[in-house]
Amino acid sequence: MVVAQKIKADDSTEEKIKSAARKLFTKKGFSATKTRDIATEAGINLALLNYYFRSKEKLFEIIMLENLGHFFQGVSIIVNDEKTGFHNKIELLVDFYISRLLVNPDVPLFVLNEARNNPKNLPLQFNLMNSYFMKQYMEETKMGRISKMNPGHLMINILGLAIFPFAARPMVQRIRNINDTEFEELMLERKKLVPQWIKAMLDINK
Amino acid sequence: MVVAQKIKADDSTEEKIKSAARKLFTKKGFSATKTRDIATEAGINLALLNYYFRSKEKLFEIIMLENLGHFFQGVSIIVNDEKTGFHNKIELLVDFYISRLLVNPDVPLFVLNEARNNPKNLPLQFNLMNSYFMKQYMEETKMGRISKMNPGHLMINILGLAIFPFAARPMVQRIRNINDTEFEELMLERKKLVPQWIKAMLDINK
DNA sequence: ATTCATTTTAAACAAATGATTAAAATAAAT
DNA sequence: ATTTATTTTAATCATTTGTTTAAAATGAAT
């Protein structure tokens, strides 16, 4: 039996508006994005934006939650999986971020900006510090398999090495004089390299 | 003989406007900053903004160049100094960035945003790749004192480890639940740690 | 076919915003 | 002291921008 599901088609008005809003908000931020730009990009009448989403703010909130999702969702599952080891989790985290950001390259700057403009909206579920990953980290140091590192530094280093190049993408491409393809290849390399580097950092004074 | 120099006093109208503009533009960006906010923050009549700086755009350009200066100026001197060694230069670079960003913590996100919105405005003087530092890097690898690493990765890693925590500051403080003082202490620690980490990364498979 | 609800459109509104103007206040020059 | 130049102010202008409205078009139900 075929169950008729009411899925919002990709070409529905609502979805067209959201796509346009996603594109513009993510790239230009809230203030620089005008409702008329969204309407034009979506190819719809301006009034439909308010008809479907009440206000620019409400529409922005939807996109914001989507983007925060891109950034934080999935991390919790990785860092709390009891079946994967400490170093393996780092590989999975780095792979996860780089893969996602290759598809959504504008998300990092969006999230960093949003985090500064509205720190309250940052999801608390991102419980990296109380995670199973942290337990494993403590165990590894206790066993002397890695050297002690302030967990704050460890977090900054993993995220920084994975995310920063995307936030700084135009600078990187300009300084190194590389095109989009070459940049993406560089990022793919980092999937393997970053975990090795983190390991090397954790091996100092072991 | 005392030479009378025409220094713009800190309390001059022009300087008051620039200070207010610097504060607001750097923190909120171009579009989210309103000319009336600048006037109020500076405690001056709105018309004086246009009287002294012609337009919001022109005023923004001045602040942008200042901020890019904070970010890029000084780097060239460090990386082209023939008297300092390879690893010493990394220490100096990291120290330089962290010191500057502790004073101007909002500059990184501003620059990253500006780099994406107007890649053309990025200064070309930032010739990290043709620097003496790069020559030294080649020499080090040739002598087998460090392992080969794509110069792009090396650049991303140095800048990322130094700059990313400032761009992600609210996220870092929220997740780690630390206050401003504790964050700054963490950054001071990184002055010593980042160069050690870079060294460890460069020692893999030496 | 007719009625009713939903969706879309063109037009307009009200507030916000960057900029300008002309007059007033202040400072500098003669 | 008087003139001239500079700086500041209040008011206003012209667009831009987010939102609303009332009518038209479209689709669904009876």
Side-chain angles (χ1 to χ4, degrees):
Chain A
M1 180 179 90
V2 177
V3 179
Q5 266 192 285
K6 189 173 182 179
I7 298 280
K8 271 165 208 155
D10 274 5
D11 62 335
S12 76
T13 302
E14 209 176 327
E15 204 52 48
K16 278 193 286 185
I17 296 173
K18 262 176 71 175
S19 291
R22 178 164 35 244
K23 177 176 168 183
L24 295 177
F25 278 142
T26 308
K27 187 170 287 175
K28 297 153 61 94
F30 179 80
S31 295
T33 301
K34 310 303 175 188
T35 52
R36 279 167 182 78
D37 298 341
I38 298 175
T40 304
E41 172 78 28
I44 53 100
N45 186 289
L46 174 60
L48 290 176
L49 191 153
N50 296 82
Y51 178 76
Y52 281 102
F53 299 96
R54 310 249 337 140
S55 73
K56 184 189 174 189
E57 257 98 1
K58 292 250 189 295
L59 179 54
F60 180 78
E61 271 174 46
I62 291 169
I63 304 304
M64 181 200 69
L65 290 174
E66 262 190 37
N67 281 344
L68 289 179
H70 279 301
F71 207 79
F72 294 111
Q73 234 166 61
V75 172
S76 180
I77 291 152
I78 294 175
V79 297
N80 286 308
D81 188 344
E82 306 204 357
K83 297 189 199 79
T84 55
F86 175 72
H87 287 292
N88 188 211
K89 279 194 179 61
I90 294 176
E91 289 169 23
L92 291 169
L93 266 178
V94 170
D95 191 279
F96 168 83
Y97 269 116
I98 294 182
S99 298
R100 284 230 161 156
L101 300 186
L102 279 170
V103 185
N104 299 297
D106 286 324
V107 163
L109 255 190
F110 177 94
V111 171
L112 293 177
N113 282 319
E114 186 58 25
R116 190 182 54 180
N117 298 342
N118 283 80
K120 297 168 197 171
N121 292 336
L122 284 182
L124 280 170
Q125 313 97 286
F126 196 65
N127 231 333
L128 195 51
M129 288 307 139
N130 302 17
S131 64
Y132 192 74
F133 175 69
M134 266 303 136
K135 280 205 192 80
Q136 288 177 309
Y137 167 72
M138 303 278 275
E139 182 67 15
E140 291 290 306
T141 54
K142 200 162 124 191
M143 304 297 276
R145 286 200 282 266
I146 57 175
S147 66
K148 264 177 257 179
M149 180 189 291
N150 181 318
H153 289 312
L154 179 60
M155 183 190 77
I156 292 169
N157 295 346
I158 295 174
L159 297 183
L161 291 175
I163 295 168
F164 179 77
F166 290 93
R169 180 169 186 162
M171 245 176 62
V172 170
Q173 291 197 209
R174 177 73 173 278
I175 292 171
R176 291 250 58 206
N177 195 32
I178 58 177
N179 62 30
D180 288 356
T181 317
E182 289 166 315
F183 177 84
E184 281 159 25
E185 281 166 9
L186 204 65
M187 293 307 106
L188 286 175
E189 277 180 37
R190 291 180 78 83
K191 280 192 184 183
K192 286 192 179 178
L193 292 172
V194 171
Q196 290 175 15
W197 291 331
I198 296 283
K199 191 171 182 331
M201 291 161 64
L202 286 167
D203 279 345
I204 302 177
N205 303 325
K206 188 173 62 180
Chain B
M1 183 180 89
V2 177
V3 178
Q5 264 194 284
K6 188 175 179 179
I7 299 280
K8 272 166 206 153
D10 275 7
D11 61 337
S12 77
T13 302
E14 209 176 327
E15 203 50 49
K16 277 194 286 183
I17 296 173
K18 263 176 69 176
S19 291
R22 178 164 37 242
K23 177 176 168 183
L24 295 178
F25 278 142
T26 307
K27 187 169 285 178
K28 296 152 60 92
F30 179 80
S31 295
T33 302
K34 311 303 176 185
T35 52
R36 281 167 181 78
D37 299 341
I38 297 175
T40 303
E41 173 78 26
I44 52 99
N45 188 290
L46 174 60
L48 290 175
L49 191 152
N50 296 84
Y51 178 75
Y52 281 103
F53 298 96
R54 308 243 345 133
S55 73
K56 183 189 175 187
E57 259 97 1
K58 291 250 190 292
L59 179 54
F60 180 78
E61 270 174 45
I62 291 169
I63 303 304
M64 181 200 68
L65 291 174
E66 263 190 36
N67 280 345
L68 289 179
H70 278 301
F71 208 78
F72 295 111
Q73 234 167 61
V75 171
S76 180
I77 291 152
I78 293 174
V79 298
N80 287 308
D81 187 344
E82 306 204 357
K83 296 187 199 84
T84 55
F86 175 72
H87 287 292
N88 189 211
K89 278 195 179 60
I90 295 177
E91 290 170 24
L92 291 169
L93 267 177
V94 170
D95 192 280
F96 169 83
Y97 269 117
I98 293 182
S99 299
R100 284 230 161 156
L101 300 187
L102 279 171
V103 185
N104 299 300
D106 286 323
V107 163
L109 256 190
F110 177 94
V111 171
L112 293 178
N113 282 319
E114 186 58 24
R116 190 182 54 181
N117 299 341
N118 282 80
K120 296 168 196 166
N121 292 336
L122 283 183
L124 281 171
Q125 314 96 291
F126 196 67
N127 230 335
L128 196 51
M129 288 307 137
N130 302 19
S131 65
Y132 192 74
F133 175 69
M134 266 304 136
K135 282 206 191 78
Q136 289 177 309
Y137 167 73
M138 304 278 275
E139 182 66 14
E140 292 290 308
T141 55
K142 200 164 122 192
M143 303 297 275
R145 287 200 282 265
I146 57 175
S147 65
K148 263 176 259 181
M149 181 190 290
N150 182 318
H153 288 314
L154 180 58
M155 183 190 77
I156 293 170
N157 295 347
I158 296 174
L159 297 183
L161 291 175
I163 294 168
F164 179 77
F166 290 93
R169 181 171 184 160
M171 244 174 64
V172 170
Q173 292 197 209
R174 177 72 173 278
I175 293 171
R176 290 251 59 206
N177 194 34
I178 58 178
N179 62 32
D180 288 356
T181 316
E182 289 166 316
F183 176 83
E184 282 159 24
E185 280 165 10
L186 204 66
M187 292 307 106
L188 287 175
E189 277 181 37
R190 291 180 79 83
K191 280 193 182 183
K192 287 192 176 179
L193 292 171
V194 170
Q196 291 175 15
W197 291 331
I198 297 283
K199 191 171 182 333
M201 290 160 66
L202 285 166
D203 279 344
I204 302 176
N205 304 327
K206 187 173 59 180

